[in-house]
Amino acid sequence: MGSEQSSQLPAGAPGSEIKSQRDEDIPYTSYSISKPISGDNPKTSPRNAANRKRASTMPAQTVSRESDGSSNQPGQLKHTIVVVADGQVDIKDPDPELTRLNTIPMFYPIMRGSLNLPTSTRDMDSLEKLDPKHLLILCLRYQEHLKQLSESVAFDQNALCIRIKEIDCMIQKIMNTMTEKQKRYAKYAEQFSRTSETVQVLNRVKDTMNDIIPKMEALNKMLPKEEQLEPFQMKDIGRK
Amino acid sequence: MAKWNQETKAKLNEKVTANVNDIGSLIRHVIRASKSPELLAQAAKNFASQESVIQSSSETLKKMNLVRAQYQYQQSAIERR
């Protein structure tokens, strides 16, 4: 494109005051076609003057007419070179995470010496020295920590196991004593029932005896003196 | 320039992968050295074997409950007499 720049914008540019007829028909080519390559003032160029005239009089024009009008121009004072190039094509985001990964700035690793083998600026080698010792101490400490934790947990678990066994033993003993007691109590209860039954029977016997005795005495009196039995005596223990 | 950047990124990627793997093997070694998984597994097995003991204990307790009910019955019978 021409190196000289005119102060006025070419016809198709968004902010320009001039409008060529071609702009209205083919908007995407207006910037490249109507931009003057030479240093001529676009106002004084005859083509644009003719365009302005045409724009003022006849707004609708076909493309062929305009191209015919412009084909008169090449070979004359100005060479309009039109360069066809791809416009700004926006690449769509294929993978948002990949783009995010690509936006990470380049950084050096902590241990810089391990990155590139050609020896370049090994100044800050302090990061590579003395690292393993501390790391070893840290790992050993962690290992010790794990060991102690696992030991305490295992100890508690074993104590619980022993306790469970003890409790089971005690429960079995108690169960045995309970069953023995229960059998004895069953025996006692049966004895109790038997004794109470016997007592009831005895009471009934006493009642009936007490009922019978006066009748027997009456009967005895009625008998002749020879047949009389001794007066019936009974030990009244529990009888009032 | 862009190609060099890509190569650096690829190398960094490899280094990072290698580092992560190394850290993984290191920590695995640390954990295995302190015999915590063995001890914990043993403890868990012991505890699991107590399950049968606990089961028998619960059965015995249920029987004890029945025996207690019988006690109550007998006591009431005795009191009645």
Side-chain angles (χ1 to χ4, degrees):
Chain A
M1 296 284 200
S3 55
E4 301 181 36
Q5 298 204 1
S6 51
S7 56
Q8 197 158 22
L9 287 166
S16 64
E17 298 159 324
I18 3 165
K19 276 197 176 34
S20 86
Q21 271 176 312
R22 203 169 290 155
D23 296 343
E24 282 136 21
D25 286 304
I26 310 172
Y28 55 87
T29 55
S30 59
Y31 195 81
S32 52
I33 289 178
S34 54
K35 186 170 167 185
I37 297 172
S38 62
D40 286 350
N41 201 350
K43 259 192 184 166
T44 59
S45 64
R47 182 170 69 99
N48 276 336
N51 279 346
R52 257 182 277 144
K53 256 199 203 167
R54 264 184 257 157
S56 57
T57 54
M58 288 166 288
Q61 281 277 338
T62 56
V63 182
S64 55
R65 272 225 196 151
E66 288 172 0
S67 56
D68 282 348
S70 71
S71 61
N72 294 331
Q73 304 302 322
Q76 290 195 1
L77 295 171
K78 298 175 291 300
H79 306 276
T80 54
I81 304 172
V82 175
V83 176
V84 177
D86 284 342
Q88 290 276 333
V89 178
D90 281 331
I91 304 170
K92 291 215 178 96
D93 228 359
D95 197 2
E97 295 191 359
L98 262 182
T99 38
R100 265 186 12 218
L101 198 64
N102 284 335
T103 50
I104 296 171
M106 196 182 89
F107 57 89
Y108 283 116
I110 298 178
M111 305 200 295
R112 283 190 211 174
S114 60
L115 170 57
N116 29 22
L117 294 175
T119 52
S120 57
T121 61
R122 284 207 161 221
D123 301 337
M124 295 181 247
D125 247 2
S126 59
L127 292 166
E128 273 194 318
K129 293 173 189 165
L130 281 184
D131 261 350
K133 241 189 227 176
H134 293 294
L135 194 65
L136 188 69
I137 290 170
L138 177 73
C139 288
L140 284 175
R141 175 90 183 81
Y142 185 56
Q143 184 177 313
E144 198 57 38
H145 183 67
L146 283 177
K147 195 186 267 188
Q148 286 177 2
L149 285 176
S150 68
E151 272 175 12
S152 76
V153 167
F155 185 72
D156 290 338
Q157 289 275 71
N158 289 339
L160 275 174
C161 285
I162 292 175
R163 192 94 184 94
I164 286 173
K165 280 187 209 163
E166 281 177 9
I167 286 175
D168 182 57
C169 194
M170 276 172 52
I171 284 177
Q172 281 181 359
K173 272 193 222 165
I174 288 175
M175 187 64 196
N176 289 338
T177 43
M178 271 180 75
T179 46
E180 283 172 17
K181 270 191 194 169
Q182 196 257 331
K183 283 177 202 164
R184 268 190 284 158
Y185 285 169
K187 269 192 233 166
Y188 294 161
E190 210 196 312
Q191 282 179 359
F192 260 100
S193 66
R194 262 188 269 144
T195 50
S196 66
E197 210 186 303
T198 326
V199 162
Q200 275 179 6
V201 163
L202 283 174
N203 282 335
R204 252 186 285 146
V205 162
K206 274 186 200 135
D207 285 340
T208 37
M209 284 304 294
N210 285 329
D211 275 341
I212 287 174
I213 284 178
K215 293 175 190 167
M216 264 178 55
E217 286 184 357
L219 277 174
N220 207 14
K221 277 184 193 158
M222 279 196 252
L223 276 176
K225 293 285 176 163
E226 295 90 21
E227 309 274 332
Q228 261 190 8
L229 296 171
E230 289 170 4
F232 191 74
Q233 290 286 333
M234 201 177 67
K235 266 166 98 182
D236 282 330
I237 305 171
R239 181 89 167 90
K240 276 203 188 139
Chain B
M1 187 65 185
K3 218 189 245 182
W4 177 69
N5 202 8
Q6 289 292 325
E7 284 174 9
T8 320
K9 274 191 187 173
K11 274 196 198 147
L12 268 178
N13 201 8
E14 289 167 15
K15 284 280 161 38
V16 164
T17 319
N19 276 346
V20 167
N21 287 337
D22 289 339
I23 289 175
S25 63
L26 179 70
I27 195 69
R28 240 178 283 140
H29 181 262
V30 165
I31 286 179
R32 193 159 174 265
S34 80
K35 319 225 186 321
S36 69
E38 280 97 359
L39 291 174
L40 290 172
Q42 190 64 38
K45 268 191 222 169
N46 272 349
F47 212 65
S49 69
Q50 300 296 325
E51 270 304 309
S52 65
V53 172
I54 295 171
Q55 172 98 9
S56 72
S57 298
S58 78
E59 298 275 317
T60 322
L61 279 171
K62 281 180 199 164
K63 283 183 207 164
M64 210 182 273
N65 212 11
L66 289 173
V67 170
R68 188 184 59 79
Q70 282 182 353
Y71 273 3
Q72 268 185 343
Y73 175 69
Q74 283 161 11
Q75 183 185 4
S76 65
I78 286 174
E79 273 177 10
R80 250 187 296 146
R81 312 288 198 252

